[in-house]
Amino acid sequence: MPSTDHSPAPGEPVLVLLTAGPGGAPTPRLADPAAPHLTVTDQGATRGDGLFETALAVADASGVFAMRKPGAHLGRLAASAAALLLPVPEAPVWEEAIAAGLAAYADANEVAEGDRLAVRLTVTRGPEVGPGEPPRPSAWVLLSPAARPDPAERRAGVRVLLLDRGLDSTVAERAPWLLTGAKTLSYAVNMAALRHARAHGADDVVFTSADGYLLEGPTSTLLISRRGADSARRLVTPLRQKGILAGTSQSVIFAAAQAEGWALGYGPLVPADLEGADGLWLVSSVRGVLPIRAVDGREVPVDQELTELLQGWLDADVDPGDHLTGDPVRDEH
Ligand SMILES: Cc1ncc(COP(=O)(O)O)c(C=O)c1O
């Protein structure tokens, strides 16, 4: 049982702090999300030095919340931590904190089947410490009510701009300190790209590399469906080695598609690969599967049935297996 400084009110986000206890092992503690908890020297705030994960939890018919693909999110959190050389709590500590937060939210609220929570795990490098002192990372879980998917938004789709991220596609190997495949707190560039898109008549973004490859959205993974020469359906996504985040939603959708006999492919992909597709989507844990309806102002086909199929695969929450870690299949298009 976590210790409690706070009883959540109905509708309020639930905060679980992972505060270092005696001996240094972090223990979960329910705390007031509206109260201050970080110092002004926290390097998450001063340098964007830290990492996060955002997952979705959905309530079942008995009003019990379960977080989707916990192993995938905790695995990616550990990979981001390794890239940042950031000491983070072990998976069982996160699991305990998440379970405590989900239970606290359910206790404080009338929960209906299908209610959703965005579960955000964050670790920062913590306050500046003196030379020789051990680091004191700050870690917490914040659970916030999330809107149910909007069928109208899913039907309408999003207009995207292709925006140059300014880094070439070899950067992940050449300059690992740029942390391109890690989910770091430094998302100011991603948010600026979204604002740029909105100021120019679009809703979202697909980044391209300086040498012309398709990468990812600022908060999502790109999926493309098309038919091969044999007219079999193929689901394709950019090659992760080009410096993008390994999407957990993409990996679950790929595992389900493979079980249904679809051919799969990992890029490399270029903007010309967006032509002639049966469908293009941005996928992510909380927003789900969003069809793209225009690229740089040019309309592209939106296939509602395919969108529902992909969303159903994401909701089925199958084990992503080896689609999580690597690029097990290459596209031979
Ligand atoms: C840059 C980036 N790519 C892809 C994704 C999608 O990841 P997931 O499907 O694991 O939510 C995200 C999620 O926020 C992201 O920030």
Side-chain angles (χ1 to χ4, degrees):
M1 277 297 275
S3 60
T4 299
D5 286 354
H6 180 73
S7 299
E12 186 187 58
V14 170
L15 173 64
V16 187
L17 295 177
L18 287 168
T19 314
T27 52
R29 181 162 57 89
L30 285 174
D32 181 354
H37 297 287
L38 296 182
T39 69
V40 292
T41 61
D42 192 289
Q43 294 169 87
T46 58
R47 301 191 204 275
D49 192 353
L51 59 82
F52 74 106
E53 274 298 316
T54 306
L56 178 68
V58 183
D60 67 12
S62 334
V64 176
F65 282 100
M67 183 172 117
R68 293 206 174 146
K69 39 188 166 58
H73 286 288
L74 291 177
R76 190 170 64 187
L77 183 145
S80 298
L84 272 87
L85 289 179
L86 180 64
V88 298
E90 299 288 335
V93 177
W94 288 112
E95 283 159 2
E96 188 189 343
I98 293 163
L102 293 175
Y105 184 88
D107 280 351
N109 290 276
E110 294 270 330
V111 179
E113 181 174 10
D115 281 356
R116 296 146 57 94
L117 293 171
V119 181
R120 189 171 159 116
L121 320 183
T122 306
V123 188
T124 78
R125 205 170 294 279
E128 304 275 354
V129 292
E133 278 183 56
R136 285 191 284 130
S138 309
W140 65 92
V141 180
L142 184 68
L143 304 95
S144 312
R148 289 181 183 233
D150 176 357
E153 186 190 26
R154 189 144 289 149
R155 270 196 304 277
V158 290
R159 294 158 300 172
V160 301
L161 294 186
L162 300 182
L163 295 184
D164 182 357
R165 192 155 70 176
L167 301 170
D168 72 58
S169 63
T170 63
V171 83
E173 298 134 53
R174 214 162 27 78
W177 51 87
L178 292 179
L179 301 169
T180 48
K183 203 162 163 64
T184 75
L185 288 175
S186 309
Y187 260 47
V189 166
N190 301 33
M191 298 300 108
L194 285 174
R195 282 194 297 275
H196 179 91
R198 285 166 194 155
H200 291 83
D203 311 294
D204 217 313
V205 170
V206 173
F207 283 126
T208 55
S209 63
D211 50 349
Y213 290 99
L214 293 169
L215 297 174
E216 61 188 341
T219 63
S220 58
T221 307
L222 174 67
L223 296 187
I224 303 176
S225 159
R226 61 164 167 250
R227 292 195 185 270
D230 54 358
S231 85
R233 264 206 213 287
R234 173 180 292 279
L235 197 55
V236 192
T237 196
L239 190 67
R240 289 180 181 164
Q241 283 78 357
K242 297 289 180 200
I244 62 176
L245 190 73
T248 64
S249 310
Q250 172 263 314
S251 64
V252 166
I253 292 171
F254 264 41
Q258 192 168 39
E260 292 293 323
W262 283 42
L264 302 176
Y266 287 82
L269 298 171
V270 293
D273 290 311
L274 300 173
E275 311 278 333
D278 321 311
L280 310 173
W281 298 270
L282 294 178
V283 301
S284 59
S285 298
V286 177
R287 284 201 303 166
V289 177
L290 283 182
I292 294 176
R293 75 167 155 102
V295 177
D296 286 346
R298 294 223 332 257
E299 299 286 320
V300 294
V302 172
D303 184 323
Q304 211 176 315
E305 248 173 65
L306 274 181
T307 301
E308 294 309 324
L309 182 66
L310 265 54
Q311 182 64 49
W313 285 342
L314 181 60
D315 291 336
D317 203 24
V318 296
D319 180 353
D322 58 3
H323 294 285
L324 255 190
T325 44
D327 291 336
V329 253
R330 282 190 161 254
D331 191 17
E332 338 60 61
H333 68 280

